[in-house]
Amino acid sequence: MDPTIAKGQPGRDQLIFPLDVPDLATAESWVKRLAPWVGTFKVGLELFSAAGPAAVERLVDVSGTRVFLDLKFHDIPATVERAARAVSRLAGVRFLTVIAGGGEEMLRGAIRGAGDEIRILGVTRLTSRPADPASVVAVARGAVEAGCPGLVCSGAEVAAVREAVGAAIELVCPGVRPPGADAGDQVRVAGVAETIAAGADFLVVGRPIRDASEPERSAEAICDEIRVALELRANSGE
Ligand code: C5P
């Protein structure tokens, strides 16, 4: 794929890269390297703990895109609402995660606090632990009933979750592994094309890109594979 690829390009739009790195300088260098193939950069616990909210705004500037803030809030409803409101004062946050099992009141608080600009994603079950699809679907339904516009689940159960929650809910899948990639600490893993075919809107792919001998080529290949899978999905009438 042409690295000058325009924004709004299928493949790139769906690919999320987690900036699981220890400092802002390293994060910025990854953003610059991967921006041609990555539509959204994710800031998680490591980078947020190290570099703080200012880093989020800096990365929005550097990438020219809104970021995914993966802080997996899980606390009493009032605390989560206030924390989400604090996040809403940062410029350029697209998604914010909360633990879906934290309960309906907590999810409603997160949604209220985050306001209209930020989409709350309910994390159903961590992809690093075993979970049966029925229990993931039950948590997913509860989160959607509480008003979550999106969910995080693994490729292993995304088809079941999609069927349960319908087409309008955004589904984000981590634990994606291209063929031959090391699963690392992820347990519920699935391939790129199969996860898109099963109904995912976004894929989070970290170590298979970061640890590749040529990360740009890995990102490009994943981006291409997503685009082809989207075309197949569209042609199959999904
Ligand atoms: O390196 P890898 O592709 O496993 O990275 C997956 C990313 O997605 C990590 O940043 C991790 O924190 C995040 N994540 C996850 N499982 C969830 C929610 C988020 O792996 N359920």
Side-chain angles (χ1 to χ4, degrees):
M1 186 180 287
D2 179 357
T4 59
I5 174 174
K7 281 180 188 167
Q9 180 91 17
R12 179 181 184 270
D13 272 1
Q14 288 75 26
L15 184 54
I16 299 173
F17 180 75
L19 294 163
D20 293 331
V21 296
D23 57 68
L24 180 57
T26 311
E28 280 192 44
S29 80
W30 279 111
V31 167
K32 287 174 189 153
R33 284 176 79 172
L34 298 178
W37 306 283
V38 171
T40 304
F41 289 92
K42 182 169 89 64
V43 174
L45 292 174
E46 180 185 6
L47 184 59
F48 194 80
S49 300
V56 174
E57 295 191 320
R58 170 77 190 149
L59 291 167
V60 171
D61 283 347
V62 172
S63 66
T65 61
R66 294 165 73 201
V67 302
F68 176 167
L69 196 49
D70 187 16
L71 299 182
K72 298 186 179 70
F73 286 162
H74 191 189
D75 208 316
I76 61 170
T79 297
V80 167
E81 180 170 349
R82 292 169 70 90
R85 187 159 297 118
V87 169
S88 77
R89 295 186 197 110
L90 295 173
V93 177
R94 179 180 192 184
F95 297 120
L96 172 66
T97 48
V98 297
I99 297 294
E104 193 179 316
E105 275 317 303
M106 190 201 76
L107 295 172
R108 289 191 198 284
I111 293 161
R112 264 196 311 275
D116 296 334
E117 295 294 316
I118 299 175
R119 295 175 78 73
I120 292 289
L121 300 177
V123 178
T124 54
R125 291 268 193 263
L126 291 177
T127 43
S128 56
R129 309 195 59 193
D132 67 291
S135 72
V136 177
V137 166
V139 177
R141 279 190 207 278
V144 168
E145 277 162 24
C148 279
L151 300 164
V152 179
C153 65
S154 89
E157 64 266 341
V158 67
V161 172
R162 173 63 76 206
E163 200 184 331
V165 301
I169 300 298
E170 289 187 302
L171 299 183
V172 178
C173 295
V176 176
R177 292 293 181 267
D182 185 5
D185 55 0
Q186 300 282 21
V187 169
R188 299 191 337 277
V189 298
V192 172
E194 72 182 279
T195 306
I196 291 290
D201 296 300
F202 298 94
L203 306 187
V204 182
V205 189
R207 287 164 289 187
I209 295 174
R210 205 177 71 214
D211 298 344
S213 55
E214 294 184 278
E216 291 88 347
R217 296 290 73 79
S218 170
E220 180 180 31
I222 291 167
C223 193
D224 284 346
E225 190 177 348
I226 295 173
R227 198 185 62 247
V228 171
L230 285 170
E231 284 164 10
L232 286 171
R233 193 171 84 183
N235 291 338
S236 73
E238 292 258 337

